[in-house]
């Protein structure tokens, strides 16, 4: 009976580690996609130090899970106590790091409100000044998602113009409709847009557009994170049971 139990734990350990291996491969692929994606994310990520760091953390975590899943599978099949102990310690560190990150994300979630982004936009945005990282990032977001400001074009009424721009033009160029939503896209009617004709402007705020675009993915990411934590927890339990059961 004890031999059958040990054999069952060994194969369950292999199964959980196989899922960790796949999860690491997915994170690794997602991190690479975010960095090299040509449709606008690369420019936005590169311009924002926090996102830039986060993308590389995702890459590192994916590579680590990929490696540990492989080691866990090998340790379980070969019943190697050294590999199992090494696997347990590193999975425990990753588990605690992910749990800490989830708690911090929950604590600081109020920094992602509509009011926060509106305040930051009005404080730091410099319209078409692409030498400014904040302004360039916002322009890229508005062009990529065909949106304007946080709530709409009215967000820019209180933002001062650059010295060389017309004081009558409230709407920045990034809010003008384009035939193709990229920086190289041709304007539908730039002059009409800048003069205030609404049908040539993107009127919807970026907060709503991005929230609607990523709402499904946020819930999917949350469910995936909970699933990964659960798998890691079970993998640690089986690793210790298998470690103690190996003679």
């Amino acid at each position: 009976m004890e031999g059958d139990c040990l054999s069952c734990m060994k194969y369950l350990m292999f199964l959980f580690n196989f899922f960790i291996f796949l999860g690491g491969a997915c994170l690794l692929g997602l991190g690479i996609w975010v960095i090299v994606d040509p449709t606008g994310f690369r420019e936005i990520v590169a311009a924002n130090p926090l996102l830039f760091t986060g993308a590389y953390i995702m890459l590192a975590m994916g590579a680590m899970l990929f490696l540990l899943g492989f080691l866990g599978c090998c340790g379980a099949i070969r019943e190697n106590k050294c590999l199992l102990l090494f696997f347990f310690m590193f999975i425990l560190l990753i588990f605690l790091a992910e749990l800490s990150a989830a708690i911090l994300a929950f604590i600081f979630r109020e920094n992602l409100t509509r009011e926060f982004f509106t305040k930051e936009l009005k404080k730091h945005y410099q319209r078409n000044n692409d030498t400014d990282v904040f302004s360039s990032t916002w322009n890229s977001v508005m062009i990529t998602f065909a949106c304007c400001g946080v709530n709409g074009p009215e967000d820019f009424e209180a933002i001062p113009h650059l010295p060389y721009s017309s004081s009558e033009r409230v709407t920045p160029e990034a809010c003008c409709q384009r035939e193709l939503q990229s920086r190289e896209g041709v304007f539908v009617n730039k002059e009409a847009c800048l003069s205030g004709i609404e049908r040539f402007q993107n009127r919807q705020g970026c907060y709503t557009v991005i929230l609607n675009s990523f709402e499904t993915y946020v819930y999917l990411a949350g469910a995936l994170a909970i699933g990964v934590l659960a798998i890691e927890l079970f993998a640690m339990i089986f690793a210790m049971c298998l470690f103690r059961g190996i003679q």
Side-chain angles (χ1 to χ4, degrees):
M1 179 64 71
E2 186 178 346
D4 291 339
C5 185
L6 186 64
S7 179
C8 180
M9 281 192 295
K10 180 173 74 173
Y11 287 110
L12 283 173
M13 172 76 177
F14 177 84
L15 181 64
F16 279 117
N17 276 283
F18 181 70
F19 283 121
I20 291 172
F21 176 82
L22 288 181
C26 289
L27 275 179
L28 196 60
L30 185 61
I32 293 171
W33 175 75
V34 167
I35 290 172
V36 303
D37 176 60
T39 59
F41 282 96
R42 178 175 56 192
E43 188 175 358
I44 295 169
V45 167
N48 190 316
L50 185 61
L51 291 178
F52 188 75
T53 304
Y56 278 97
I57 290 174
M58 189 187 301
L59 274 174
M61 292 294 290
M64 193 175 294
L65 286 174
F66 183 86
L67 176 63
L68 287 177
F70 177 76
L71 289 175
C73 288
C74 291
I77 292 299
R78 299 182 64 178
E79 298 185 8
N80 188 307
K81 294 185 76 171
C82 184
L83 280 177
L84 287 171
L85 186 60
F86 175 81
F87 166 81
F88 175 83
M89 295 301 295
F90 272 86
I91 282 290
L92 179 61
L93 289 174
I94 292 172
F95 179 83
L96 293 175
E98 290 173 345
L99 194 61
S100 300
I103 293 170
L104 286 173
F106 180 78
I107 291 172
F108 292 105
R109 70 191 186 282
E110 65 270 11
N111 289 338
L112 300 177
T113 61
R114 184 188 296 268
E115 292 73 21
F116 172 79
F117 285 118
T118 303
K119 180 182 176 182
E120 290 296 301
L121 180 70
K122 291 181 178 180
K123 183 178 179 182
H124 299 292
Y125 185 68
Q126 299 178 21
R127 297 183 177 271
N128 300 325
N129 182 8
D130 284 336
T131 60
D132 176 66
V133 172
F134 183 89
S135 304
S136 177
T137 301
W138 259 105
N139 287 336
S140 295
V141 170
M142 292 190 291
I143 292 170
T144 301
F145 291 96
C147 56
C148 189
V150 178
N151 309 288
E154 63 273 10
D155 290 343
F156 300 101
E157 293 176 1
I159 296 175
H161 295 263
L162 295 174
Y164 51 81
S165 65
S166 170
S167 59
E168 297 178 358
R169 294 179 174 181
V170 174
T171 306
E173 287 183 9
C175 289
C176 295
Q177 291 182 5
R178 298 169 186 252
E179 294 179 3
L180 177 66
Q181 290 308 131
S182 71
R183 285 186 177 273
E184 293 74 32
V186 178
F187 290 100
V188 175
N189 191 328
K190 181 179 175 180
E191 290 301 320
C193 166
L194 295 177
S195 65
I197 299 177
E198 294 185 2
R199 65 192 182 94
F200 295 110
Q201 299 174 350
N202 296 315
R203 303 292 301 175
Q204 195 167 14
C206 292
Y207 190 88
T208 302
V209 171
I210 294 175
L211 197 65
N212 292 338
S213 299
F214 288 100
E215 185 176 15
T216 303
Y217 300 104
V218 168
Y219 289 120
L220 183 62
L224 182 62
I226 293 171
V228 167
L229 288 173
I231 289 170
E232 289 173 354
L233 184 62
F234 278 109
M236 286 189 290
I237 293 171
F238 284 119
M240 272 293 97
C241 291
L242 191 58
F243 177 85
R244 297 186 62 178
I246 295 172
Q247 301 299 324

